[in-house]
Amino acid sequence: MSDGKPADQFFDAAIDLLRRVRDEEAESITAAGTLLADTVTEGGRLFAFGAGHSSLAAQDVVYRAGGLALMNLLTVPGVVGVDVRPATLGSALERVDGLASVVLDCSPLRTGDALVIISLSGRNALPVEMAMKARELGVKVIGVTSVAYATETRSRHASGTYLRDHCDVVLDSKIAIGDATLTLDTVPAPFAPASTVVTSAILQSVMATAAGALAARGIEPPLLRSGNVDGGHEWNTQVMKEYGDRIFYQH
């Protein structure tokens, strides 16, 4: 690790990753945003899923000021965050075969919808099976993952495949295996993970692309405003009324 304060080194590492994603994933980001815009145009619904800390990026695009109102969180009890006790249960559930199929069978997902699946490693049974099953249902899948894991780790799904193998669009977060960005001789383990920062930025860039694509077609993007600015609540109420049949987080 280079000289300097760990905080500065982390910012440098995160900025370098963001630059790589901006420069190397531009085509995929455009494809993902266009896919979402196509789905909205054709009357489909939008969903996002992530397990554990990957769920943070999924939650960041749902019911979000400045975000698309049609983005819904696909939840799997026990894996959405670290609120489950013990926290290790969430990690264990990600490896359970068959769970994703049950979840999708009970979800509102249908043919013509789009699903964003976020999984840093993309190797566990849950995200792999979810992508496979969703596509069988006629759902378009956008995967956000670190492709490095698929080249240097072993899949935990029975098929031996990874999330990236079952997506219509793959967005590579460029995160190194293990996630942490920094090391010190005086610290026994790598530290300072950057996956949440980078993955959230990727998804917000996709949302921005989708909004721009809709506007270019003469379609007003169904965006939410902050409820903490004057008129924001009234704006959001109208958007939710107009698109109520495609929003699943208001009841």
Side-chain angles (χ1 to χ4, degrees):
M1 189 173 67
S2 61
D3 294 336
K5 297 177 181 179
D8 292 339
Q9 292 168 341
F10 174 75
F11 278 118
D12 289 342
I15 290 168
D16 286 345
L17 284 165
L18 289 169
R19 283 175 174 156
R20 282 191 62 198
V21 168
R22 180 194 63 189
D23 296 341
E24 298 173 20
E25 296 299 301
E27 185 175 337
S28 295
I29 288 171
T30 297
T34 301
L35 189 156
L36 294 186
D38 291 344
T39 302
V40 172
T41 301
E42 295 164 9
R45 295 87 57 80
L46 311 179
F47 296 85
F49 167 78
H53 286 92
S54 290
S55 180
L56 297 175
Q59 294 177 57
D60 189 49
V61 295
V62 176
Y63 188 52
R64 189 72 165 85
L68 291 173
L70 304 191
M71 184 61 70
N72 301 278
L73 187 66
L74 181 64
T75 59
V76 179
V79 305
V80 175
V82 294
D83 58 330
V84 63
R85 298 289 186 272
T88 52
L89 174 61
S91 298
L93 289 174
E94 285 188 70
R95 305 177 188 182
V96 174
D97 291 329
L99 179 57
S101 294
V102 172
V103 169
L104 290 181
D105 286 344
C106 297
S107 79
L109 272 166
R110 67 188 186 192
T111 299
D113 292 345
L115 171 62
V116 179
I117 301 177
I118 304 132
S119 174
L120 178 59
S121 72
R123 67 188 294 224
N124 289 313
L126 182 57
V128 174
E129 182 184 316
M130 184 171 288
M132 294 172 69
K133 177 70 173 180
R135 295 182 88 188
E136 289 176 7
L137 295 172
V139 174
K140 296 294 185 181
V141 175
I142 297 169
V144 185
T145 188
S146 171
V147 171
Y149 278 85
T151 61
E152 300 181 45
T153 67
R154 180 177 299 176
S155 170
R156 290 180 174 140
H157 188 260
S159 66
T161 60
Y162 297 77
L163 171 60
R164 71 166 190 174
D165 299 316
H166 306 284
C167 299
D168 296 279
V169 180
V170 176
L171 297 166
D172 183 4
S173 64
K174 316 294 181 181
I175 301 295
I177 293 176
D179 197 358
T181 60
L182 304 182
T183 58
L184 275 176
D185 293 340
T186 54
V187 179
F191 59 103
S195 60
T196 302
V197 173
V198 174
T199 304
S200 291
I202 290 173
L203 287 184
Q204 291 299 347
S205 72
V206 171
M207 299 302 123
T209 300
L214 288 168
R217 302 173 188 183
I219 300 172
E220 181 179 329
L223 298 170
L224 295 172
R225 291 186 175 183
S226 172
N228 294 315
V229 299
D230 292 343
H233 178 71
E234 291 76 15
W235 173 280
N236 293 340
T237 298
Q238 182 58 38
V239 170
M240 290 185 184
K241 180 179 179 181
E242 183 176 353
Y243 293 95
D245 60 335
R246 298 155 79 178
I247 296 173
F248 298 92
Y249 52 78
Q250 46 179 345
H251 300 297

